[in-house]
Amino acid sequence: MATGLALPLALAALLGTLIGALADQGAFTAWPQAVGLSLLVGLAACRWRLVLLLSMVALVAGQLSVLRGGELPDGLTRQDLAVEGRLTSVVREGVLTRLTLAVSDCEPLAAGLPRCDRLSRVRLNAYDAPVMSVGERWRLTVRLRPPAGFANPDAFDYGAWLRREGIHATGYVREAPPPARLEAAGGSIRRWALVRLDERDLSPRTTRWLAALTLGVGERLSDDDWALLNASGTTHLMVISGLHVGLVAGVALWLSRGVSRLVAPGRWRMAIWPWWAAGVAAAAYAWLAGLEPPALRAMIMALVGLWVASGRHAPGPWQAWWLALALVVILDPLAVWRPGGWLSFGAVAWLILIWQGRPRPIGWRGWLWALVRSQLLLAPVMAGAVLLAFDRFAPAAPLVNLVAVPLVGSVMVPLGLAGWALAWVPPLADLAWSAFGTLAEGLALGLETAARLAPLQEPAPAVAQALGVALVLIGLLWGLPGLAGRLRLAGTALLLACGTLGLSPSSPAPGEVRVRVHDVGQGQLVALRTARYRALIDTGPRFPSGFMPLSTLWPEGQRFDDVIVSHADLDHAGGVEALMMEHSVGRYLAPPGSALPVATEPCVAGLAWQRDGVDFRVLWPPAGAAGLSANDGSCVLLITAGQQRLLITGDAGVRVEHELLAWLEGPIEALVAGHHGSATSSSPGFLAAVRPRQVIFSAGRDNRFGHPAASVVRRFRRLGSCLWNTAQDGAVTLWLGGEGRVEPARPAAWRRGGVGRGCLALESPAMTPEAPVTARGR
């Protein structure tokens, strides 16, 4: 029964995730009624299989609805809330402590606010926090916001990651009233193990890697560890996966069958209990690792694998694969949106495919060849999948994994676990962990060498997608049976040519400029690109934690011809340090007297240059100007491409706008709204003169300044301007000088409300010069 239902169960679970996702977008809110009616029909007709499958659909869709429904209500953004809960993660970074809290109680401190009792999991920043430990129960006063992140093309989507992890809100801990510990951490083998690990005299790398490989505490790994693993294509080795859980299960099975052979020499092959013992060991290890999604997935796959290997009424490999997928999705519906889940299931499916029908290897030579063959056939498929999922490619990964996989799986993990098993005999435990540490240092050195000789590649998304598909198809060419060798060679050459040469990142034509107002929160960063010229206007903010959004936008080693810093405020110049550390810049421009950590040339009125048929002209401040505030001293740039003009005024106020009218004749195509939409800019007289068709507000979501001001939004709406806001739309890209178009990073379905609580203009479609200018509303 179970084997025949594996595929339908998996499909029912996946259908449940689809229904839950549609309901979250408001596209199928009547799903409970539809599924309930179908269940009644199935019960009336005694179609028990249909009833079971519909129950799975309802279960998965219901879980997603509960998870999504727990997100912070809009009315509680930036309000003081009292929350109680247990800490599930604590990461210290200097004065900053990053917390994950499983919420048990939430209450707004002010009257008349919505309830937040459905909130269940939040991520918090705490500055100068008291000593906190995982497992403790705390009462905190916090300010939260719904789970969201910056939305920039080709950059990491933090908001999507939060939703995949079931985080209902993010925010920070208030200093008053101070945090209060309600309950100490209870007894936990995992916490005991981490404390004991910290007490040992081991190198920092050994301690971190032991925690990750044997206890699943990946947060112990440093940023340098993750960078090294990414660069060498070995990230999967440091995640509790089927490799680690399967190893524990295999060792437990080997020991149990050995005991069974001693106890019952004539009947040991038929004994059932060794398989149960292996299953218990796999489940116990996954539980020790915290049963986080990777460990849960690995446990389920290992248990199903043990069932298949036992050969007693077990399903075939493909039925087992579908059954494992169904169980993972039913227990963790968010797994469908996690790339790691599909990568692991895809790897197992490919291994089943390339070994199906082949005889079992014999002897050590046979097993060695099986390992090499599996790795060689797996490498292009997994490299392509990683390119498709993450837009990165580690050229060294195939060869590195040939050594790293058996070294970590067959030597280092057993040594690490042996140290825990011998923890009651410290000399033996230290011996095992010392050997582990020696191998860890050697492996790290090898990974560093490989990454240096064959550096990590992060191609443009168009190239990454094409190359990723090509690599997957190459893997299929060599893995599928029955294909002629010449066909495989010719197909490989053709696919590589198409993948590397067929697509290239789009660049503007001569006379055209691409303007991208990046989503960097409350700040400004505008990237300009012509056919052979690249510049930035402002560099985005730097937050109190030290985080600079600019560091997430491009891989290291970019080249910018010019960087124009409108003024030295941190929301405009905060990313200069990241530019200095990670990229090269031909020329920095800034208003005279700007306090920046880099040498600059004066950005003053009259400065002009042309690149690829596009004109750039500085309109403000005048040379020798004195007595200007930092905002009114902003560098103002006018960009002209053909008949279309873009004006970027920084934080300049009304007084400067009046002066600019002498330089501007007639309407302009686009305007980056002054001072993020503050009421100190965008005066009625100025707007009446320039009448911009497209207006972009570079503002942070739920920012404390209320930008853009409602009065400013209304002024633009009366002009018929089409309005965009990075807080809602994500990065906004304009193409000027050619066909002319506007592209927001976020689809319309993502937006919640408009500028100034009800401005309809945010829902205006992308405009072209031929299209009529309208401001549509709700």
Side-chain angles (χ1 to χ4, degrees), residues 149-155 515-521 525-527 553 696-699 724-734 742-747 750-751:
F150 304 138
N152 292 291
D154 317 331
V515 182
R516 179 166 290 159
V517 184
H518 278 284
D519 180 12
V520 292
L525 190 160
V526 183
L553 297 179
I696 302 101
F697 297 106
S698 181
W724 308 90
N725 186 353
T726 58
Q728 298 285 345
D729 293 295
V732 179
T733 304
L734 302 87
V742 182
E743 300 171 352
R746 286 193 178 110
W750 188 92
R751 304 171 196 148

Side-chain angles (χ1 to χ4, degrees), residues 182-271:
L182 302 179
E183 184 181 322
S188 166
I189 295 178
R190 194 184 195 202
R191 284 193 290 274
W192 172 86
L194 287 173
V195 171
R196 182 173 179 82
L197 191 59
D198 291 335
E199 292 173 349
R200 309 307 299 168
D201 185 20
L202 301 171
S203 70
R205 192 194 306 276
T206 301
T207 301
R208 297 194 307 269
W209 285 26
L210 268 173
L213 277 173
T214 63
L215 301 174
V217 189
E219 57 267 27
R220 285 289 186 99
L221 296 177
S222 66
D223 291 341
D224 290 339
D225 288 330
W226 287 118
L228 177 60
L229 295 170
N230 286 331
S232 57
T234 53
T235 308
H236 60 97
L237 295 178
M238 289 294 167
V239 177
I240 295 296
S241 64
L243 175 69
H244 309 98
V245 178
L247 175 67
V248 171
V251 171
L253 179 63
W254 177 72
L255 292 174
S256 300
R257 298 196 81 184
V259 172
S260 178
R261 189 171 187 175
L262 291 175
V263 174
R267 295 181 288 111
W268 71 275
R269 294 182 184 276
M270 301 300 294

Side-chain angles (χ1 to χ4, degrees), residues 363-698:
W364 70 268
R365 287 190 179 89
W367 283 104
L368 179 61
W369 167 241
L371 174 64
V372 172
R373 179 178 184 271
S374 298
Q375 200 61 42
L376 290 176
L377 291 176
L378 192 61
V381 174
M382 296 310 295
V386 170
L387 267 170
L388 293 171
F390 303 111
D391 293 335
R392 65 172 184 255
F393 172 58
L399 293 178
V400 167
N401 278 293
L402 278 175
V403 177
V405 168
L407 176 64
V408 172
S410 302
V411 183
M412 292 179 62
V413 171
L415 281 173
L417 295 176
W420 289 117
L422 298 169
W424 308 108
V425 188
L428 294 179
D430 289 343
L431 183 64
W433 283 346
S434 295
F436 176 97
T438 300
L439 291 174
E441 296 297 337
L443 177 60
L445 179 61
L447 297 182
E448 290 169 357
T449 303
R452 185 171 58 254
L453 295 176
L456 180 71
Q457 302 297 310
E458 298 183 78
V463 176
Q465 300 302 306
L467 185 58
V469 171
L471 287 172
V472 171
L473 293 177
I474 287 170
L476 292 175
L477 272 177
W478 290 93
L480 294 176
L483 298 179
R486 290 183 178 178
L487 176 62
R488 287 172 170 164
L489 288 172
T492 299
L494 179 62
L495 288 167
L496 281 176
C498 293
T500 56
L501 303 176
L503 286 174
S504 60
S506 59
S507 59
E512 188 177 36
V513 59
R514 189 193 73 186
V515 182
R516 179 166 290 159
V517 184
H518 278 284
D519 180 12
V520 292
Q522 186 62 22
Q524 181 169 287
L525 190 160
V526 183
L528 309 173
R529 187 189 284 271
T530 67
R532 293 179 298 275
Y533 174 74
R534 193 176 182 190
L536 297 179
I537 301 177
D538 288 329
T539 64
R542 178 187 178 96
F543 298 134
S545 63
F547 173 66
M548 294 168 283
L550 181 142
S551 64
T552 67
L553 297 179
W554 306 284
E556 290 188 21
Q558 303 295 306
R559 164 74 183 181
F560 299 95
D561 297 282
D562 288 325
V563 172
I564 301 104
V565 180
S566 65
H567 61 300
D569 285 359
L570 271 183
D571 57 336
H572 291 253
V576 169
E577 184 177 336
L579 277 174
M580 296 168 59
M581 292 188 300
E582 302 173 4
H583 310 293
S584 62
V585 176
R587 175 177 66 164
Y588 286 93
L589 295 170
S594 297
L596 295 173
V598 65
T600 64
E601 296 182 20
C603 179
V604 293
L607 181 64
W609 62 98
Q610 186 183 81
R611 296 291 186 275
D612 305 316
V614 178
D615 293 319
F616 302 84
R617 179 176 295 276
V618 177
L619 304 184
W620 189 267
L628 296 175
S629 66
N631 285 349
D632 280 351
S634 293
C635 187
V636 176
L637 188 69
L638 179 68
I639 302 164
T640 304
Q643 300 301 312
Q644 298 174 326
R645 296 186 297 169
L646 165 70
L647 183 65
I648 304 174
T649 62
D651 283 356
V654 173
R655 171 192 167 188
V656 175
E657 290 176 346
H658 178 74
E659 298 290 340
L660 293 177
L661 292 179
W663 297 86
L664 299 169
E665 298 179 2
I668 63 175
E669 176 67 19
L671 171 71
V672 178
H675 204 173
H676 319 288
S678 165
T680 62
S681 303
S682 304
S683 59
F686 176 71
L687 298 188
V690 298
R691 302 187 65 84
R693 292 169 56 91
Q694 309 283 351
V695 177
I696 302 101
F697 297 106
S698 181

